[in-house]
Amino acid sequence: MASIQDVSEFGMEVVCAGENNLYWQLSDAAELVVPIGAVRDAVQAVRVPEVSDAVYTDECAYSFTTAENSSGLFTSLRSHCSFGLPHALRDAASSSASSCALYLWKRIRRVPKVKAVTPAASESDVNDAEITKLAIGVEGGFQVEEDRWEGVQELAVALLHRGDKDTVRLFPWDEWKEHLPSSVRDVIVALLARVDTSKLAPLAWQDDPPKESKYAKDLPQLDNGIKISPRPEDWKCAESGMRENLWLNLSTGYIGSGRRNFDGTGGTGAALKHFEETGSKYPLVVKLGTITAQGADVYSYAPDENDAVLDPYLAEHLAHWGIDVMQQRKTAKTTDELSIALNKDHQFGGDRICESGKELEQVTGPGLIGMQNIGNSCYMNSVMQVLHSLPEVRERFEGHFERVYALARGPTDVETQLCKLGVALQDEKFSVDLSKKSNTDDSAPIEPFPRPVIVPNLLKASVANGHPDFSSKEQQDAYEYLLHVISLLERLEHASGRKAEDTSKLFKCLCEQRVECLQSNKVRYTQASNVGISLPIPMEAGVDKVEDVPAAAAAAGAQEEQPSKKQKMESEEEPTKVVPFDACLSAWLTPSVAGGFRSPVTNEYGDVSRRVRFSSFSKYLVIQMERFFLGPDWIPKKKMAEVAVPEELDLSACLGTGLQPGEEELPEDANVAPELEQPDAALVGELFAFGMGSENACKRAVLAVHNAGMEPAMNWLMDHMGDADINDPIPSSQPAVGGASDFVANEEALMLLQAMDFSVKHATLALKNCDNDGNRAAEWLFSRMDTLDTLLAEEENSNVAAAPQESKAEERCVNGKYDMVAVISHIGKNTGSGHYVCHIKKEDGKWYFFNDESVFLSQEPPLDLGYVYLFRRRD
């Protein structure tokens, strides 16, 4: 039996190697001894994490290795970051001069869950347990794969030594915890008690139970002589004669059909029409066929409820119409059961996603690897798949991984995580074994150490760091996330001094804005760099689709993930419109007229006309279809429209012309923004409290509508959500650094930095380098106190010297011919819920469908249902 000697620091003279203590040695030298000095250095380097310290115990910082890997996961007792085995050895080499470090080693082995089988139920009955609850990841609801197995955890203290022969020695925690130095033991106990900082909530959602209706207690009931037959065969809709999905108004005795379901089934909405035609005074309805002694489905049409509700007085209310609840039997499906039936047909996870009724072929391999949904992360998965499908992005991140790793900037570094993802998406080891059954099939065997999966917890945490929306666990807008990532890429390259490698330039087109003062008819042309364009969808230009099935649900076939409320079975969809793409483009090109403009010529307020054209085309053009809007009830809604976006675009006719003969230019010394009225602070506060966007966005909306009120400001915001500068500070007269940049410092942040005794120029320089973020700018300044004057001089010199070079390098591109390469689609009613998927056209000319972890060969990509489109310029 081999032995490990010279480890007296662990409280034992000899550690025996054997099968039971999980010891192994990754070298040919079985008798290799780690020097006592190296062990002492490793012990002295450990550190107990403070409450405020971040710990990363679930995922390797430089790969997607987890504790479910056969070699386990190593969490440093010094930095509290985790590593897969190869990266752990490299980390040990950099930890001390002796290349030795201590880690908490964790490995999870999967074993099948033992399911309790009652004498009256067979094992197959348990496997095929009926779904009885509209929920995910809870008993009775839709189950996730984790319900089939449980993990057996193995823990040990790992001693890693990097030398001529790399050595890993494990000491089982249960056997050795009493013999370890107290400093080592305290760190491990603390790590085991902590939750990974980047860990999101598990995939578990359950619908909120209905609440008691406030209208139930004093519900009026008309004495009109109506009595309802107890026989279901006598029930029918008073309007259409339908005998399914019937709802009895508890106040009037009227029987009407419910509204259409999202799959096209259901009624005509007669029950709702009756509610509206009777002055909206009688809101409560009960679904016939669901009435039993235990209760029934009750719904409230009242605008302030508009949901399933409880009626504690239901038996009394039904008795008024001659219905004895004790004599009723269930003959119709409840709304929950209908939801379950519909959702079972659209299985979560995309195993059987259909396009026009076709069964899709699942594919796998480099570039065709999915990403696990970690809870409302489909928007992130879709955006990342699209970006990493582009050769320029792959080259930027996959090709620089070793350089990025050498910097060892930690698990929250954005560049590190993007590189890590790029490498994994091309790594064969993440491919799915298509010869095996789906791992959601109960008959499939449980692998103790499954294939590695891309679980992007650290990626999500790093990219969303500091962002109030993307840091949350809620569903987000994929388009806004794409803009955030591109902005992050720009800051990343500029902060590192690699402006030439700025990946964000690939997506930035130059737009020309023509502003005409309608009082003087003088014009001004300006140019702005934008990430793509947002096209309105003029519903008035569309025609009703003949086959009116909600297109997004039919095309993608995936259920909404984790909505805040149940999908109401009665909710009526607007008729699907077919809108020509040319109508959308024409609406974008049409000049808009707005008030609140103070003319520099007349010095009076009046109207101004704005028109946008392209000035220079980008390599990749992002087009967002403006599918979301605010309804009259102030609830975000989605335009159910099919827009046949062509795979080939020629936008050359949309190129700007600049100042034309006969046009007279507005005076250059007139700065429009400062001349605008000040935004009404109360109106801005109300808009901001309503959650309509950032404070700067709310200010822009209020100014744009000339302080006209809440409704016009909200409508303006919904129309301009995609504007590149929507969240930028309102322009001020603050000087730019060196006088050669168009950067405008955030006034509030500038004042705070000046209050810290920083000069205006130093503070402005910091804000420019930190994207106008005051907190980051303060850190930037304090960390560079000794070099601020030098940095300022370099910036001023670069403004003078680099400006002509940059303008020369960024020559105007007038080629407006594009080919579509990707589409991100949204399934659901608004951006706060639903599900995102993407279709990507690969180098082989085929379209592929990415639905989180599943990837399919697409047969008929729904190009008319997309939300965000990406085009590549044809050079």
Side-chain angles (χ1 to χ4, degrees):
M1 178 178 291
S3 64
I4 306 173
Q5 300 175 357
D6 294 330
V7 287
S8 57
E9 290 288 331
F10 280 92
M12 297 291 289
E13 293 184 0
V14 177
V15 179
C16 295
E19 188 175 316
N20 294 330
N21 66 11
L22 306 178
Y23 160 83
W24 87 85
Q25 190 169 287
L26 299 182
S27 71
D28 295 328
E31 300 296 333
L32 184 65
V33 174
V34 179
I36 184 65
V39 177
R40 183 180 297 107
D41 290 345
V43 172
Q44 291 175 348
V46 304
R47 182 176 63 88
V48 177
E50 301 290 341
V51 175
S52 59
D53 289 343
V55 298
Y56 301 96
T57 59
D58 290 347
E59 177 186 338
C60 174
Y62 302 106
S63 70
F64 287 97
T65 299
T66 68
E68 293 186 350
N69 187 279
S70 59
S71 61
L73 188 67
F74 297 80
T75 303
S76 170
L77 303 191
R78 177 180 59 91
S79 67
H80 314 137
C81 296
S82 296
F83 309 94
L85 182 55
H87 296 291
L89 287 167
R90 296 175 70 171
D91 179 71
S94 61
S95 296
S96 66
S98 56
S99 298
C100 185
L102 288 170
Y103 299 81
L104 167 63
W105 178 82
K106 180 168 64 174
R107 183 170 69 175
I108 297 176
R109 183 190 301 270
R110 290 185 180 184
V111 297
K113 269 188 180 178
V114 178
K115 298 183 179 180
V117 181
T118 64
S122 66
E123 184 175 353
S124 60
D125 291 334
V126 175
N127 289 339
D128 299 326
E130 182 181 1
I131 298 171
T132 59
K133 188 179 296 183
L134 191 59
I136 299 173
V138 299
E139 183 179 356
F142 293 91
Q143 298 305 310
V144 291
E145 186 200 355
E146 284 80 353
D147 294 300
R148 300 182 53 239
W149 56 266
E150 57 188 356
V152 177
Q153 183 173 260
E154 301 168 302
L155 297 173
V157 180
L159 178 66
L160 273 65
H161 181 257
R162 192 76 187 264
D164 295 335
K165 298 291 185 179
D166 294 336
T167 304
V168 178
R169 301 172 188 272
L170 298 183
F171 307 93
W173 171 245
D174 288 338
E175 298 177 22
W176 285 89
K177 59 185 176 183
E178 300 302 328
H179 307 295
L180 296 171
S182 59
S183 59
V184 175
R185 185 168 56 249
D186 291 346
V187 178
I188 293 176
V189 170
L191 289 175
L192 292 175
R194 292 286 295 272
V195 176
D196 187 292
T197 301
S198 68
K199 195 69 173 178
L200 298 177
L203 180 58
W205 160 77
Q206 184 171 355
D207 190 37
D208 296 331
K211 299 177 181 179
E212 180 179 336
S213 172
K214 66 180 183 181
Y215 300 97
K217 183 177 180 179
D218 299 316
L219 185 74
Q221 291 192 286
L222 304 183
D223 189 9
N224 54 16
I226 294 177
K227 294 297 177 183
I228 306 300
S229 168
R231 300 174 357 131
E233 56 267 29
D234 294 334
W235 301 335
K236 63 180 180 180
C237 174
E239 179 189 75
S240 65
M242 291 183 63
R243 296 184 179 274
E244 296 178 347
N245 193 19
L246 300 177
W247 295 78
L248 167 68
N249 189 295
L250 291 172
S251 294
T252 66
Y254 180 89
I255 298 177
S257 61
R259 292 175 282 184
R260 185 173 57 250
N261 299 329
F262 70 78
D263 69 337
T265 62
T268 63
L272 175 61
K273 293 175 188 174
H274 175 73
F275 164 70
E276 295 170 342
E277 290 170 354
T278 53
S280 301
K281 296 185 293 184
Y282 311 119
L284 298 189
V285 293
V286 61
K287 186 172 185 180
L288 296 175
T290 69
I291 302 169
T292 67
Q294 288 73 42
D297 273 7
V298 181
Y299 196 91
S300 173
Y301 287 134
D304 56 348
E305 291 184 332
N306 195 28
D307 203 350
V309 295
L310 292 178
D311 179 3
Y313 312 96
L314 181 61
E316 177 185 335
H317 292 156
L318 289 171
H320 179 84
W321 305 110
I323 298 176
D324 183 357
V325 296
M326 302 304 295
Q327 303 299 319
Q328 291 296 304
R329 298 290 181 269
K330 183 173 176 295
T331 60
K333 288 184 176 181
T334 66
T335 53
D336 271 357
E337 290 170 337
L338 285 171
S339 294
I340 290 164
L342 290 168
N343 284 319
K344 286 175 72 175
D345 291 337
H346 305 297
Q347 291 186 10
F348 188 85
D351 295 41
R352 295 165 46 216
I353 298 294
C354 296
E355 290 175 5
S356 303
K358 295 180 173 63
E359 196 74 19
L360 301 184
E361 174 191 354
Q362 189 172 6
V363 294
T364 190
L368 300 173
I369 293 169
M371 299 168 61
Q372 189 175 97
N373 191 313
I374 55 177
N376 282 332
S377 65
C378 55
Y379 69 93
M380 177 188 74
N381 292 351
S382 297
V383 168
M384 289 299 173
Q385 289 284 10
V386 168
L387 289 177
H388 282 275
S389 71
L390 308 179
E392 296 89 347
V393 175
R394 290 202 304 268
E395 170 60 26
R396 167 64 183 86
F397 292 106
E398 296 165 40
H400 292 81
F401 181 72
E402 286 299 326
R403 174 181 62 79
V404 172
Y405 173 78
L407 298 174
R409 290 179 295 203
T412 59
D413 178 63
V414 175
E415 187 176 14
T416 298
Q417 296 307 315
L418 289 173
C419 287
K420 175 172 125 180
L421 177 64
V423 171
L425 289 175
Q426 300 296 323
D427 193 337
E428 186 71 43
K429 73 179 180 183
F430 289 96
S431 297
V432 181
D433 187 351
L434 299 180
S435 64
K436 297 182 179 180
K437 290 186 177 182
S438 167
N439 52 14
T440 60
D441 186 343
D442 279 347
S443 63
I446 300 295
E447 299 180 5
F449 302 110
R451 68 176 181 85
V453 178
I454 297 177
V455 185
N457 283 313
L458 286 176
L459 173 69
K460 185 177 189 298
S462 62
V463 174
N465 185 27
H467 195 285
D469 295 325
F470 302 132
S471 297
S472 74
K473 302 172 185 177
E474 305 299 324
Q475 182 67 282
Q476 301 298 331
D477 188 318
Y479 175 65
E480 292 180 1
Y481 187 73
L482 175 62
L483 297 182
H484 172 70
V485 173
I486 292 175
S487 175
L488 206 58
L489 293 176
E490 180 179 24
R491 298 203 301 267
L492 176 71
E493 308 297 13
H494 284 231
S496 62
R498 297 191 305 272
K499 295 184 180 181
E501 298 179 13
D502 187 357
T503 314
S504 68
K505 291 181 180 179
L506 295 169
F507 307 95
K508 289 189 175 182
C509 58
L510 202 58
C511 287
E512 173 191 278
Q513 179 175 246
R514 179 185 184 273
V515 176
E516 180 179 359
C517 170
L518 297 184
Q519 299 178 67
S520 64
N521 296 120
K522 295 184 179 182
V523 299
R524 176 184 293 119
Y525 286 86
T526 58
Q527 293 186 343
S529 178
N530 292 334
V531 177
I533 60 175
S534 296
L535 296 186
I537 302 178
M539 299 296 280
E540 66 277 6
V543 297
D544 289 349
K545 186 179 179 183
V546 176
E547 182 184 357
D548 189 21
V549 177
Q559 85 176 65
E560 295 189 8
E561 62 176 62
Q562 304 190 33
S564 57
K565 283 190 175 183
K566 78 172 64 175
Q567 183 172 14
K568 299 177 178 64
M569 289 294 95
E570 301 174 290
S571 67
E572 186 178 58
E573 303 285 358
E574 294 293 328
T576 301
K577 295 281 188 179
V578 179
V579 181
F581 176 77
D582 288 344
C584 301
L585 187 60
S586 176
W588 181 73
L589 293 170
T590 301
S592 62
V593 177
F597 179 81
R598 189 172 183 178
S599 171
V601 178
T602 66
N603 204 32
E604 295 180 356
Y605 285 106
D607 290 342
V608 61
S609 170
R610 289 183 173 87
R611 188 195 70 188
V612 180
R613 295 289 188 272
F614 288 100
S615 179
S616 181
F617 293 104
S618 53
K619 175 69 176 180
Y620 289 97
L621 178 65
V622 177
I623 296 181
Q624 176 214 24
M625 303 305 299
E626 295 178 355
R627 292 190 173 273
F628 301 99
F629 66 102
L630 275 181
D633 52 1
W634 304 101
I635 297 176
K637 296 182 179 180
K638 183 177 181 179
K639 292 182 179 179
M640 299 303 294
E642 296 182 2
V643 182
V645 180
E647 289 193 57
E648 298 181 1
L649 272 183
D650 188 351
L651 300 175
S652 302
C654 303
L655 201 62
T657 58
L659 191 68
Q660 294 295 292
E663 291 182 330
E664 189 174 349
E665 193 169 5
L666 275 171
E668 281 294 337
D669 60 345
N671 190 345
V672 176
E675 297 299 327
L676 289 174
E677 292 179 329
Q678 291 299 311
D680 185 307
L683 190 55
V684 171
E686 186 178 358
L687 203 59
F688 182 74
F690 203 81
M692 290 303 300
S694 67
E695 184 179 359
N696 287 329
C698 295
K699 286 181 179 179
R700 286 180 178 273
V702 171
L703 287 173
V705 300
H706 198 22
N707 291 317
M710 183 73 167
E711 183 172 355
M714 292 185 79
N715 290 334
W716 186 93
L717 257 179
M718 293 302 296
D719 291 338
H720 294 81
M721 281 295 189
D723 290 1
D725 61 349
I726 189 67
N727 296 310
D728 291 350
I730 304 300
S732 70
S733 58
Q734 294 296 341
V737 177
S741 169
D742 59 358
F743 171 75
V744 178
N746 183 311
E747 280 193 36
E748 183 178 353
L750 193 62
M751 291 175 61
L752 290 174
L753 294 175
Q754 286 181 267
M756 298 178 189
D757 291 332
F758 290 107
S759 70
V760 174
K761 287 191 173 183
H762 286 164
T764 305
L765 175 64
L767 289 169
K768 181 178 180 181
N769 280 276
C770 298
D771 198 36
N772 257 331
D773 186 312
N775 292 330
R776 288 172 48 211
E779 294 178 6
W780 190 93
L781 286 165
F782 283 117
S783 64
R784 295 165 173 82
M785 292 287 289
D786 297 333
T787 59
L788 287 178
D789 290 332
T790 302
L791 291 171
L792 181 61
E794 291 176 354
E795 177 72 15
E796 291 173 340
N797 291 335
S798 66
N799 284 336
V800 175
Q805 297 175 6
E806 289 182 359
S807 61
K808 181 179 179 181
E810 298 176 9
E811 294 180 357
R812 185 186 185 207
C813 178
V814 297
N815 176 17
K817 295 182 179 180
Y818 285 92
D819 295 308
M820 189 188 300
V821 293
V823 184
I824 298 175
S825 304
H826 176 265
I827 306 159
K829 295 182 179 180
N830 58 66
T831 54
S833 64
H835 185 61
Y836 283 98
V837 296
C838 66
H839 287 75
I840 299 174
K841 192 173 186 179
K842 294 288 186 175
E843 288 82 356
D844 59 6
K846 298 178 181 179
W847 284 92
Y848 293 88
F849 180 29
F850 291 77
N851 184 17
D852 288 332
E853 200 171 340
S854 302
V855 185
F856 302 90
L857 178 63
S858 175
Q859 296 183 28
E860 294 183 13
L863 303 184
D864 52 350
L865 300 172
Y867 174 46
V868 181
Y869 295 80
L870 185 65
F871 289 83
R872 179 188 289 119
R873 192 178 65 220
R874 197 184 306 162
D875 292 331

